[in-house]
Amino acid sequence: MPNTTLLDIAIRNNQSMGAALIEETQRAVPEISGGAARTIGGVVYKTRVRTALPTVSFRRYGEGNAAQKSTWELRSFDCHVLNPRWETDVAIAQASEDGPEAAIADEAIGQMQGALITLGRQFYYGAGTGDALGFPGLIDQYDSTNMLVDAGGTTANTGTSVWALKWGPMGVEWLWGNGGQLSMSELKIERVLDANNNPYDAYTQTMLARPGLKTGAKYCMGRIRKLTDDAGKGLTDALLSQLYQKFPVGWRPDAFYSTRRAIGQLQRSRTATNPTGAPAPIPNDWNGIPIIPTDSISDTEALTL
């Protein structure tokens, strides 16, 4: 069953302006366009997360077994305020060949794309190397003991990561608080100030959303880190295989997310082992699991991350 996405939520909530902006701009952030999403009534989502399965065994006739149970952990996931504001000089808007509405719409598209790019980076890096006022990201929530493969790169601040994700209610999900709020304020003309505190009239508008990120069982996300351009430290099929093996049966990841640099490394590693010597095609999957390029992951990660 396809996952519900942010665009689906905006359409369902009759947020026509928000839906139009999302549809126009979400291609830049595949984590949002293809990622599972759910709405919550308020701004805090509390759930039990299973951290270990019970040990189940057979028994002899006339003998019993001790009761067993899953190990659970109560987790709380918060939604945070995303509230961009934009201003368009009235004189500039009214001078537009296509009219002031077109000029204002162009700015709204840019603001939405900027908001989605911010969300994409927050998705991976959280409050540490993302926005300190935003929600915790994958880097804060994944099991770095059991779900990590280390590529071993050594050149400082040239690292990148590949993430394998299982989307859905038991896996990774975007949260959208206040019932999926994505509200656009009324467009109005206000007196604003320039850099020298001189006033002028501008069209102003804001958007308000409450995004958050929920992760389920530890097997819903895994990471390859310290991928660099050091010799032998780039992305290979062997590393993807190691990451895949971290996931138990029944938790096959839905996709790998990677930078174009790492995908290029994978392509060159396949070319080097190609018996014909012809360049391998640009990889778009590993054993049927899509490899999705994204700009939300950095190619300049600290190796300590």
Side-chain angles (χ1 to χ4, degrees):
M1 173 182 285
N3 291 314
T4 299
T5 67
L6 174 59
L7 178 58
D8 297 325
I9 290 171
I11 293 172
R12 184 178 66 198
N13 289 355
N14 294 317
Q15 297 166 337
S16 56
M17 177 70 171
L21 291 177
I22 293 167
E23 193 162 27
E24 180 75 21
T25 61
Q26 68 175 347
R27 292 185 300 274
V29 188
E31 302 82 3
I32 293 179
S33 60
R38 69 183 301 161
T39 64
I40 62 175
V43 295
V44 179
Y45 180 74
K46 294 183 179 180
T47 185
R48 290 199 310 161
V49 176
R50 192 197 315 269
T51 58
L53 291 169
T55 301
V56 179
S57 61
F58 294 94
R59 70 175 181 88
R60 293 185 178 93
Y61 291 114
E63 295 181 5
N65 277 338
Q68 303 290 329
K69 64 178 182 178
S70 299
T71 302
W72 297 90
E73 182 179 290
L74 182 62
R75 294 183 187 172
S76 178
F77 303 93
D78 295 341
C79 295
H80 292 241
V81 178
L82 184 70
N83 189 206
R85 168 190 168 93
W86 52 97
E87 301 170 351
T88 304
D89 188 327
V90 168
I92 293 175
Q94 293 181 352
S96 171
E97 286 289 335
D98 299 318
E101 294 82 3
I104 295 162
D106 284 344
E107 184 57 38
I109 289 171
Q111 291 286 338
M112 176 62 80
Q113 184 158 337
L116 296 184
I117 289 171
T118 294
L119 285 173
R121 181 171 180 81
Q122 196 74 17
F123 178 79
Y124 294 104
Y125 297 108
T129 53
D131 189 325
L133 298 179
F135 53 81
L138 294 182
I139 201 77
D140 306 304
Q141 301 189 46
Y142 86 111
D143 183 346
S144 59
T145 300
N146 299 299
M147 300 300 292
L148 174 66
V149 174
D150 195 321
T154 58
T155 301
N157 299 316
T158 65
T160 193
S161 298
V162 169
W163 288 89
L165 301 180
K166 179 69 175 176
W167 293 101
M170 295 295 292
V172 179
E173 277 189 314
W174 289 96
L175 296 178
W176 296 95
N178 286 350
Q181 179 182 22
L182 184 67
S183 59
M184 311 292 292
S185 71
E186 293 294 327
L187 186 66
K188 56 186 177 182
I189 296 177
E190 289 186 290
R191 181 65 58 89
V192 300
L193 301 177
D194 66 14
N196 296 313
N197 289 323
N198 294 316
Y200 67 97
D201 290 337
Y203 291 102
T204 65
Q205 196 169 25
T206 63
M207 180 186 76
L208 179 60
R210 301 283 189 139
L213 178 65
K214 178 193 76 68
T215 59
K218 68 180 180 181
Y219 300 116
C220 68
M221 51 188 167
R223 177 191 180 204
I224 304 172
R225 72 168 184 173
K226 293 187 183 179
L227 291 163
T228 67
D229 278 330
D230 299 316
K233 306 303 181 184
L235 183 62
T236 63
D237 286 294
L239 288 171
L240 289 171
S241 177
Q242 288 180 52
L243 181 58
Y244 177 75
Q245 290 175 49
K246 299 285 186 182
F247 290 79
V249 173
W251 284 92
R252 176 183 170 92
D254 293 320
F256 296 102
Y257 291 83
S258 170
T259 67
R260 287 181 175 83
R261 189 188 79 182
I263 292 173
Q265 292 170 344
L266 179 61
Q267 180 195 26
R268 291 189 291 276
S269 75
R270 292 178 175 182
T271 298
T273 58
N274 189 330
T276 68
I282 295 174
N284 55 27
D285 76 284
W286 181 87
N287 282 356
I289 301 174
I291 300 173
I292 300 176
T294 177
D295 289 331
S296 300
I297 301 175
S298 172
D299 279 327
T300 57
E301 287 180 0
L303 299 183
T304 56
L305 192 62

